[in-house]
Amino acid sequence: MEAGTGTVLLSGNEHLVGPGVAIDVPRGTAHRSHNSGDEDPVFVEVQHGDYFGQDDIVRLDDDYGWID
C-alpha cells in the first residue's frame, strides 16, 4: 500500500494495512479490502505467473452492483 490505511479480509481474517505494508493473496483465496481511515488508500497490485487476464475472477459478493 502506498497511502492511507485499509483493512484486507483474507479467508475470513482481517489484516490492517498501511503505507509500506505488503500482503500476499494466494491463488484462489477469497479476499476483499476497504478503506479504514480518513485518507483514500492507494494499493499497488503485483501479479506473478504466465496469465494476467481478468476473466478468471469469481465475485463471491456484489455490494456495488458490478455483476449483471
Side-chain angles (χ1 to χ4, degrees):
M1 178 179 282
E2 292 291 318
T5 58
T7 302
V8 175
L9 185 62
L10 184 63
S11 292
N13 298 309
E14 287 189 357
H15 303 271
L16 298 176
V17 295
V21 174
I23 189 163
D24 291 323
V25 180
R27 183 185 316 193
T29 303
H31 62 284
R32 70 185 309 168
S33 62
H34 70 271
N35 185 357
S36 56
D38 296 329
E39 185 179 354
D40 290 340
V42 177
F43 288 91
V44 176
E45 177 181 327
V46 178
Q47 294 177 302
H48 300 274
D50 297 327
Y51 180 73
F52 302 110
Q54 297 292 310
D55 60 332
D56 61 343
I57 294 173
V58 176
R59 299 214 183 268
L60 303 177
D61 291 311
D62 182 20
D63 297 337
Y64 308 103
W66 293 352
I67 300 174
D68 292 331

